[in-house]
């Protein structure tokens, strides 16, 4: 019986990727190896998506994504002597040039160690609606279904305010960063759209209603600050609960006071820094989404056996 593990492959040159993918695809299974590793390029390294991560230590954004996902303990880093050292809890910190056999040995050793340990349930916060918000959402969905104009962006609320839209927009010119935050928000119960630029974001906000817009600051064209100003100056309907428009959250690697002031002047409602701190994200969502509760579920991904 062979056990398959999913490995997020983050960074690396085209040549290195090709060599790694060829090795792991063709690696023989003998008496010592009853495991197979499927390399999945550039996926968000959440616990649901992969079991391990193989990361390019020379790529700053890759290091940030792994740290924000909390996956250092499941990651083999590979880098030159000039790359920053791997976190102390990393699976391994290997030198270039890449030795696929050594990479596999590190994964095999981790599998063997963990097979001797009891499985621990991963605690993950999720959203749950209050009873009144859920009832209102179901009534809204039924009316829209009858009219043939059904949308997943259902207004959860009503008199007294017990909820809000499910729809969220993530704006970042980095595909890895977009997909990472998208995955996090989907796990919390939101329906997530993405945009790669400020212009794209403004077009989407003009045609759809969003509860939150998460904006990167440093983007080509109009940056996050300008995008936020445009969103905040849009004419929102006065008969809607969310007459101020969406909550705008700046998400950036800039943590200086000047940037925070610029964000406040642009009208942003919250400011989060990369690598993203999950507790800060949860606190921001809880502040503006009154249907959000912090509860816990077992999200350890099952292993596929063949």
């Amino acid at each position: 019986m062979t056990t398959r593990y999913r490995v997020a492959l983050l960074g690396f040159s085209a040549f290195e990727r090709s060599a790694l993918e060829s090795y792991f695809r063709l690696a023989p299974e003998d008496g010592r190896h009853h495991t197979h590793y499927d390399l999945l390029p550039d996926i968000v390294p959440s616990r649901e998506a992969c079991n391990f991560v193989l990361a390019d230590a020379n790529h700053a954004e890759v290091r940030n994504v792994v740290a924000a996902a909390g996956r250092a303990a499941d990651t083999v880093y590979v880098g030159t002597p000039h790359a920053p050292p791997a976190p102390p809890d990393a699976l391994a910190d290997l030198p270039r040039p890449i030795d696929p056999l050594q990479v596999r040995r590190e994964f095999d050793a981790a599998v063997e160690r963990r097979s001797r340990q009891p499985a621990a349930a991963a605690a993950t916060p999720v959203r749950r609606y209050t009873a009144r918000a859920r009832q209102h959402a179901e009534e809204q969905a039924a009316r829209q279904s009858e009219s043939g104009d059904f949308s997943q962006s259902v207004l959860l609320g009503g008199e007294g305010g017990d909820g809000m839209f499910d729809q969220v927009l993530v704006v970042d010119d980095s595909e890895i960063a977009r997909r990472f935050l998208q995955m996090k928000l989907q796990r919390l119960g939101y329906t997530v759209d993405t945009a790669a630029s400020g212009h794209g974001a403004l077009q989407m906000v003009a045609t759809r209603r969003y509860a939150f817009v998460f904006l990167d600051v440093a983007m080509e064209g109009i940056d996050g600050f300008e995008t936020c100003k445009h969103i905040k100056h849009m004419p929102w309907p006065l008969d809607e609960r969310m007459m101020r428009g969406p909550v705008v959250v700046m998400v950036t690697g800039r943590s200086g006071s000047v940037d925070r002031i610029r964000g406040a002047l642009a009208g942003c409602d919250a400011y989060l820094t990369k690598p993203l701190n999950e507790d800060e994200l949860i606190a921001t969502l809880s502040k503006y989404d009154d249907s959000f509760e912090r509860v816990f579920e077992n999200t350890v991904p099952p292993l596929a056996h063949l």
Side-chain angles (χ1 to χ4, degrees), residues 43-105:
I43 66 167
V44 177
S46 67
R47 297 188 184 279
E48 295 83 0
C50 63
N51 305 99
F52 296 108
V53 181
L54 181 56
D56 184 348
N58 288 86
H59 199 305
E61 186 174 18
V62 166
R63 297 196 307 271
N64 290 339
V65 165
V66 174
R71 300 303 303 276
D74 303 313
T75 301
V76 171
Y77 292 84
V78 180
T80 65
H82 302 292
D89 57 339
L91 281 182
D93 190 2
L94 303 180
R96 274 188 165 94
I98 299 175
D99 181 352
L101 179 59
Q102 183 59 40
V103 171
R104 175 167 184 148
R105 286 172 178 163

Side-chain angles (χ1 to χ4, degrees), residues 16-232:
E16 290 173 325
R17 287 185 176 214
S18 178
L20 287 164
E21 290 172 347
S22 295
Y23 172 81
F24 280 96
R25 184 174 63 253
L26 302 174
E29 297 173 3
D30 54 30
R32 293 171 300 162
H33 293 144
H34 296 287
T35 58
H36 184 84
Y37 300 97
D38 296 312
L39 299 191
L40 308 175
D42 295 330
I43 66 167
V44 177
S46 67
R47 297 188 184 279
E48 295 83 0
C50 63
N51 305 99
F52 296 108
V53 181
L54 181 56
D56 184 348
N58 288 86
H59 199 305
E61 186 174 18
V62 166
R63 297 196 307 271
N64 290 339
V65 165
V66 174
R71 300 303 303 276
D74 303 313
T75 301
V76 171
Y77 292 84
V78 180
T80 65
H82 302 292
D89 57 339
L91 281 182
D93 190 2
L94 303 180
R96 274 188 165 94
I98 299 175
D99 181 352
L101 179 59
Q102 183 59 40
V103 171
R104 175 167 184 148
R105 286 172 178 163
E106 297 295 344
F107 288 143
D108 285 342
V111 169
E112 185 176 354
R113 287 195 302 272
R114 295 174 187 186
S115 67
R116 301 170 182 169
Q117 301 171 353
T124 300
V126 298
R127 262 170 97 234
R128 287 192 178 165
Y129 300 138
T130 60
R132 187 146 59 98
R134 182 178 296 281
Q135 179 182 2
H136 182 79
E138 291 172 350
E139 292 171 353
Q140 282 275 83
R143 287 196 296 269
Q144 290 180 333
S145 180
E146 291 173 1
S147 65
D149 185 28
F150 181 78
S151 169
Q152 290 187 356
S153 300
V154 178
L155 176 62
L156 299 179
E159 190 174 355
D162 250 319
M164 60 192 301
F165 286 105
D166 286 332
Q167 202 84 4
V168 174
L169 178 63
V170 172
V171 188
D172 200 305
D173 55 3
S174 163
E175 182 179 2
I176 291 179
R178 286 197 308 272
R179 292 171 66 184
F180 169 70
L181 186 51
Q182 179 183 25
M183 180 71 74
K184 267 192 175 299
L185 292 166
Q186 286 175 337
R187 288 170 57 195
L188 299 175
Y190 295 98
T191 300
V192 185
D193 291 337
T194 63
S197 68
H199 287 293
L202 292 177
Q203 291 175 355
M204 298 179 74
V205 171
T207 58
R208 304 180 190 180
R209 298 301 307 279
Y210 292 103
F212 294 89
V213 176
F214 289 84
L215 278 174
D216 183 35
V217 167
M219 297 185 291
E220 293 185 5
I222 58 174
D223 64 14
F225 297 126
E226 287 299 315
T227 304
C228 179
K229 288 180 184 178
H230 284 295
I231 292 174
K232 288 300 183 179

